[in-house]
Amino acid sequence: MTEVVITGLGALSHLGVGVDRFWQGLLAPAPPTPAVAPDPLAHVPIPDFYFLPDGALPDGPETVDGLTIGRATRAALTAAGEAVTDAGPSGADPGRTAVLLGSSIADAYVIEQWRGTKSFPDEDRWTPVFATASVVARELGALGTASTFSNACSGSGYSMATGADMIRAGEADVVIAGGFETYSRVAHAAFNQVGALDPDSCRPFDATRGGTVLGEGAGAVVLERADAARARGARIYATLTGSGWSCEAYHATGLDPDGGQIIRAMRDALDEAGRTPDDVDFVVPHATGTKLNDLTETQAMYGVFGERTADIPLYSLKALIGHTGGASGGLGVVAASLFLHHGVMTPNLPVAHPDPECRVRVPVERTPVGRTAMVNSYAFGGNNMSLLLRGEPR
Amino acid sequence: MTTPSTAADTSAYRTAVSDPVVTGIGVVTQETIDPAGERGDAWFDQRAQLGRGYKYLPKASQYLLAATTRALADTGADLADVPEHHRAVTIGTNNGMSQLYGEFDRTVIEGDSTLLSPATVPYFSVNLVGSRVAMEHALKGYSLGTHTPRVAGLEAVEHGSRALRAGRARWLLAGAAESPLDWSEPGSEGSEDGAVALVVEPADAVAARGGRAHGRVQVRSFLLPPPLAATGEGTAAGLLGAALQEVGVSGPRPPVRLVGADDAVTAAVEAALGGAEVTRHPAGVGCLAPALHVVEALRGPDTEQLVIGVAAQGNVSVARVAPMTS
């Protein structure tokens, strides 16, 4: 099977702009302080949100070829652009360079702002809010497939797994893949109404956890054929060795408590990579901080890894940056790639009151790691994705 | 620690589908449900079409559920014969949740989020259009939502078929579902309304059960950015030529149904096609029209056709539709 490697990374979160800021934030984790959404029309009980820092995004462009774009597309463009710069010139044919990006709501806030201010544009022109991949591809000079997916909080995972499949199928030589999410009044209100938000903080695996805290972010990678990347001397962060896809087909928002489909996703990713559960050195779990999800994911990991689950280092990213929706899996892959690249997992924020029902290891010290990582992402609609990464020899 | 279920310990999904074929077609539009136009905007009676329990679903979800029922019946096969973890769904929509979004937003602005209906609030997540069908029919292989302007329905076939070829599932529901843009959004005039559902299966499995297939649909996509469309005369031809080659068109080009609006990208694609045997078709606001043309090509005369969907943003999807010869 054609090997697919990650040669470029891009990251954006409340920690700041760029992979360097992301990495510095991971190295010295500080409990995040949520802000109240600066949206006077957002009448919600829990207004907390982790926003990108002021100035993180360029002010423009506000339109591209007549299409109004918003912060979400600018966030995606920022992260994808960084990943492409980081990868360096691949020399790939633009027609064989694809862009696949996932998001829960993409640029829905463009419409929400118009609606909220009652100031719709004069021109009666359709403004599709999921045109982000088209805009990003245009700006980066990619002329292959440019698809915008949703798949909610597993959108990044599906974009990366699909991108790898495109390369293996010979449909593309380079794929820019990832996910993005920025503030939306409707999405924030919906999370409030389904009771998925914690008014204090996002505390995965903590016995007192009450839900998640939403955050803005974008995560992107450049995927390439391994032989081409090695031939041009590209820096390789990791090989995307396997993906496991599954659907709960159970409930609009919840995981099936039996964990069967997320177990299958993890096992399928391992199978595709030709690895066994014992080969996995660390996991970036989905770990949203919601009661049922953390418990179900823990139990599913026990179903895959057995009692070794209690010893596998986990990196609980959402405790630090919140739940970045469609970007969450992408930022999880960026974090895992950096851990594999540096050979060390950065310290987690402490779990103050470990949930006895979630017997997992969330190390708060720098932890040397081996070469095999798993990144999980799950979503409303039951869309699950597990990705397996292998680091380069050190 | 609770022991998790081992019921899903069924990783035998890795049999790649080398020859996916369309075995079931379901279409729900005003023309198919209310051809005389007697019911006007109330053309879709969800209770009559779906039965109890679907009243609060967004229209696009209702349409897709009804289209899926038709497509399943059209296969002449029993879905129960396909293991649940082999069944997948990839659905495209552009505006399927727009009205719901608008209603939610007005509720939050004028009231507060506690007034949002618990039954419908999860549907802010647009991937639920497909995932709701997954819940209905235990499609546990995977569920993917595509939303690229205008071509999302064709992309659903493209990405879904590739996933079958990679062995991620062995049975696919692919298609498009739309409902009108919220009244407050610009461009709501011309909104599409309806759904297309295609069942895609391995040709060998269909042959083994003595079933019949409608045909094959292969899709490749590319981006022709508007500035290049306006100035790069050779770019459109080059990208189009590569896409045609990738869907297996190397000799004389089959007739083309070109589905696009009055924009520079559609004009550039039309120019690159050269005019002969190219029929322009209007595109609505959404991704339904190209999918409907695929259905017409599958049901039409036993000759290959190309359906090319074009978005003003530059997305172009080329579908080679090859009906099975009778």
Side-chain angles (χ1 to χ4, degrees), chain A residues 258-346:
Chain A
D258 84 353
Q261 292 310 314
I262 60 176
I263 288 174
R264 187 167 66 80
M266 287 191 269
R267 286 181 175 162
D268 284 354
L270 288 164
D271 283 353
E272 183 168 84
R275 295 283 134 188
T276 70
D278 287 345
D279 293 325
V280 174
D281 294 299
F282 68 95
V283 176
V284 180
H286 189 56
T288 57
T290 54
K291 284 282 186 190
L292 179 61
N293 281 26
D294 290 0
L295 178 61
T296 304
E297 188 172 12
T298 299
Q299 292 172 345
M301 285 192 285
Y302 272 85
V304 173
F305 302 112
E307 287 301 314
R308 200 173 77 86
T309 301
D311 299 321
I312 297 175
L314 305 187
Y315 189 72
S316 184
L317 181 60
K318 291 181 182 66
L320 184 62
I321 65 170
H323 193 347
T324 55
S328 62
L331 288 167
V333 167
V334 171
S337 298
L338 291 169
F339 299 159
L340 292 168
H341 185 63
H342 292 289
V344 63
M345 174 191 285
T346 56

Side-chain angles (χ1 to χ4, degrees), chain B residues 31-70:
Chain B
E31 289 70 26
T32 58
I33 301 292
D34 179 27
E38 294 167 345
R39 298 183 200 141
D41 289 343
W43 60 270
F44 186 82
D45 181 343
Q46 55 84 22
R47 180 69 181 274
Q49 295 290 333
L50 300 171
R52 284 180 177 273
Y54 303 91
K55 180 178 178 182
Y56 297 106
L57 293 181
K59 280 184 176 177
S61 275
Q62 294 175 348
Y63 299 155
L64 185 62
L65 285 164
T68 301
T69 300
R70 287 163 168 73

Side-chain angles (χ1 to χ4, degrees), chain A residues 189-210:
Chain A
F191 267 83
N192 266 275
Q193 182 64 341
V194 300
L197 299 181
D198 188 312
D200 298 321
S201 59
C202 178
R203 290 162 286 151
F205 307 118
D206 192 300
T208 66
R209 69 187 181 278

Side-chain angles (χ1 to χ4, degrees), chain A residues 197-262:
Chain A
L197 299 181
D198 188 312
D200 298 321
S201 59
C202 178
R203 290 162 286 151
F205 307 118
D206 192 300
T208 66
R209 69 187 181 278
T212 199
V213 178
L214 298 180
E216 295 186 315
V221 299
V222 172
L223 302 172
E224 295 185 54
R225 292 175 58 100
D227 54 358
R230 293 188 201 286
R232 73 179 179 90
R235 174 187 47 219
I236 293 172
Y237 290 100
T239 301
L240 179 48
T241 52
S243 62
W245 311 27
S246 73
C247 179
E248 298 289 313
Y250 174 75
H251 186 270
T253 59
L255 292 169
D256 187 337
D258 84 353
Q261 292 310 314
I262 60 176

Side-chain angles (χ1 to χ4, degrees), chain B residues 254-273:
Chain B
V256 176
R257 295 165 179 254
L258 179 60
V259 186
D262 184 18
D263 56 59
V265 184
T266 306
V269 171
E270 185 172 24
L273 285 165

Side-chain angles (χ1 to χ4, degrees), chain B residues 235-256:
Chain B
T235 309
L239 293 168
L240 185 63
L244 290 172
Q245 207 162 30
E246 287 175 15
V247 296
V249 175
S250 53
R253 198 191 64 218
V256 176

Side-chain angles (χ1 to χ4, degrees), chain A residues 71-84:
Chain A
R71 297 179 77 243
T73 292
R74 287 199 284 278
L77 181 57
T78 301
E82 182 187 22
V84 169

Side-chain angles (χ1 to χ4, degrees), chain B residues 161-186:
Chain B
S161 297
R162 183 188 313 105
L164 290 185
R165 290 180 186 277
R168 307 208 177 281
R170 288 185 57 76
W171 186 102
L172 174 70
L173 184 79
E178 293 290 5
S179 55
L181 277 174
D182 184 67
W183 60 266
S184 67
E185 290 196 42

